[in-house]
Amino acid sequence: MLLNNSYFSYAGFIIFGIITFIVVCATVLPFFHFKQWYFRIFDYPRLQTFFMAIAAFAWYAIFYFRMGKPGLLILVLLFGVILVQAFKAFPYTPFAPKQVLQSEIQNPDSTAISLFICNVLQSNEQYEKVIEQINSCGADIVITTESNQRWQDGLKRIEKDYPNVVSIPQDNSYGMHLYSKLPLKNTEVRYLLEPNIPSIRTALQLRSGSWVHLFIVHPRPPFPTEDEDSKERDAEILLVAKEARKIEGGVIVAGDFNDVAWSETSELFQEVSGFLDPRRGRGFYNTFHAGYPVFRWPLDHIFHSSEFKLLKIQRMSKVGSDHFPMFVKLNYEPEGKNNQPEVAPDEETEERANEAIQEGKEDAKDNND
């Protein structure tokens, strides 16, 4: 029975029921290992689900607390949603332990490396805004995704400061460019699973003379207009994880993963690679969607090996894209790597990764035949 029927109509109760149903489904479905987009889409809105559940819980407490056992069940469900989503979100709050330590070295110019990552949005034409932000942060490395020939032409004038360029202009929203002030070697443009989805692997020479490695990825998301499931995305991310962990010394993996930091795949990437996430213990740094403040999550990532410590991390301002750019500055301190966590995959982790990679390869083969 309602506390006071004058406050809420039957329609209000229906709305409350729908919200409760949505937040429970959004919390439960990601636990299933199904790869279809309509399961994986619920990996994204953790924060939104958390706040919707709190609002529904408060709504229940004020207006429906006399509903007896059915109401108690609703209360338990909502409380469970809040706990699960809080558990998932907590590592990316300032209250959690920092996974990457702050560098204590003052003015480490020779050992530092800074990266500016921007999904420019292929249809966007605001080149000057991107150039302005590149100039303002002075990054050593500029990575663009969704960049086609128009974007290559639009950013042409930064090449005087970034003489080492890897260009992959494409009109399918998966073009990619790398601009570097630092020398490159052994640069490869690869198509790991699909003939039109590129990635980059290269070595970079720091000003100190040390060489580190960089991987850039931008797999397709599980979404009806892109891919009906996440098999190929997951496989590409995990293939890079297994490859990158074999490299001695500093390694950075960056790009638009089309996946959130707290998803099963991103967590598996960290377990397989042993790499660290500088956002943990600092903030979410949500980069998508720039146009909708209520619906934002972190899709653009920088993971790195334990040889690096953090100097600066910042989400940049809007550039006309549906993504915010990210800026991260790291310091190469191999002598301090043991001070930071390093995760080694166990047998179960390896099995899960190998299974996901095999599924992705088979799916890609079927799609490309």
Side-chain angles (χ1 to χ4, degrees):
M1 183 175 178
L2 303 183
L3 177 61
N4 190 329
N5 286 327
S6 65
Y7 288 112
F8 271 90
S9 64
Y10 180 72
F13 179 69
I14 293 297
I15 293 171
F16 168 75
I18 291 172
I19 292 174
T20 301
F21 178 77
I22 289 172
V23 299
V24 170
C25 287
T27 302
V28 172
L29 291 179
F31 285 100
F32 292 91
H33 297 301
F34 301 123
K35 302 291 187 176
Q36 289 82 2
W37 71 268
Y38 42 82
F39 281 92
R40 299 278 56 89
I41 200 72
F42 291 107
D43 287 329
Y44 296 78
R46 293 288 187 184
L47 285 178
Q48 291 80 3
T49 303
F50 174 77
F51 287 112
M52 286 176 66
I54 289 179
F57 189 92
W59 191 342
Y60 166 85
I62 295 172
F63 297 106
Y64 299 109
F65 69 92
R66 293 182 181 176
M67 290 181 63
K69 290 183 179 179
L72 181 60
L73 176 60
I74 292 173
L75 180 66
V76 170
L77 287 173
L78 289 173
F79 188 67
V81 167
I82 292 169
L83 286 181
V84 169
Q85 301 297 3
F87 176 79
K88 284 289 187 179
F90 178 74
Y92 300 91
T93 67
F95 305 104
K98 292 178 174 61
Q99 190 173 71
V100 178
L101 299 179
Q102 193 76 26
S103 176
E104 297 179 355
I105 297 178
Q106 302 296 320
N107 303 316
D109 294 335
S110 65
T111 54
I113 179 171
S114 55
L115 301 94
F116 175 90
I117 303 175
C118 184
N119 181 316
V120 296
L121 183 63
Q122 185 173 289
S123 60
N124 178 25
E125 297 184 0
Q126 299 186 46
Y127 316 114
E128 289 301 319
K129 283 191 175 181
V130 175
I131 292 173
E132 180 183 335
Q133 294 215 15
I134 291 171
N135 291 336
S136 71
C137 69
D140 299 313
I141 304 295
V142 172
I143 298 167
T144 64
T145 54
E146 281 202 39
S147 42
N148 57 7
Q149 186 62 50
R150 261 192 322 101
W151 271 97
Q152 183 171 310
D153 296 339
L155 298 180
K156 188 73 176 177
R157 64 187 179 89
I158 75 168
E159 293 182 17
K160 67 180 188 299
D161 297 318
Y162 296 87
N164 304 300
V165 181
V166 181
S167 303
I168 318 171
Q170 295 185 178
D171 287 317
N172 64 346
S173 297
Y174 292 95
M176 182 181 292
H177 287 74
L178 166 64
Y179 301 88
S180 177
K181 294 179 179 179
L182 304 175
L184 307 179
K185 74 174 182 180
N186 300 331
T187 301
E188 299 177 68
V189 174
R190 296 105 57 82
Y191 298 83
L192 295 175
L193 290 174
E194 299 182 75
N196 57 352
I197 307 294
S199 67
I200 297 173
R201 172 180 173 169
T202 190
L204 305 160
Q205 188 177 36
L206 303 180
R207 294 174 182 86
S208 64
S210 298
W211 287 90
V212 299
H213 286 79
L214 172 66
F215 292 79
I216 304 171
V217 298
H218 183 205
R220 288 196 297 166
F223 198 71
T225 57
E226 296 289 340
D227 201 346
E228 64 182 15
D229 57 48
S230 68
K231 292 178 182 178
E232 292 177 44
R233 180 202 68 182
D234 299 349
E236 179 170 342
I237 290 171
L238 295 172
L239 276 169
V240 170
K242 294 191 74 170
E243 183 180 3
R245 80 177 186 203
K246 297 176 183 177
I247 298 173
E248 294 291 332
V251 184
I252 299 169
V253 180
D256 177 359
F257 278 44
N258 275 316
D259 193 20
V260 285
W262 47 75
S263 77
E264 178 185 13
T265 302
S266 289
E267 290 177 350
L268 187 57
F269 170 88
Q270 281 203 266
E271 292 173 9
V272 170
S273 66
F275 290 175
L276 310 179
D277 185 347
R279 293 165 299 189
R280 284 184 171 242
R282 291 183 170 89
F284 293 93
Y285 298 94
N286 295 324
T287 56
F288 177 91
H289 191 289
Y292 306 114
V294 176
F295 296 103
R296 285 181 182 165
W297 32 77
L299 295 188
D300 301 274
H301 306 295
I302 296 178
F303 296 103
H304 58 79
S305 60
S306 56
E307 284 85 357
F308 293 99
K309 292 184 180 179
L310 185 68
L311 291 166
K312 184 177 181 180
I313 181 169
Q314 179 183 359
R315 189 186 75 180
M316 308 293 283
S317 56
K318 293 181 181 180
V319 292
S321 172
D322 51 358
H323 287 243
F324 291 95
M326 279 292 294
F327 174 79
V328 176
K329 188 172 185 179
L330 305 170
N331 195 44
Y332 184 56
E333 302 178 29
E335 68 283 353
K337 63 176 292 185
N338 294 329
N339 297 330
Q340 301 192 113
E342 187 170 9
V343 181
D346 56 25
E347 186 175 336
E348 181 184 353
T349 300
E350 286 288 343
E351 289 178 1
R352 289 167 56 207
N354 290 336
E355 181 180 337
I357 289 170
Q358 187 60 35
E359 285 183 355
K361 287 181 175 179
E362 292 173 358
D363 197 54
K365 185 177 183 299
D366 292 340
N367 291 338
N368 295 329
D369 285 343

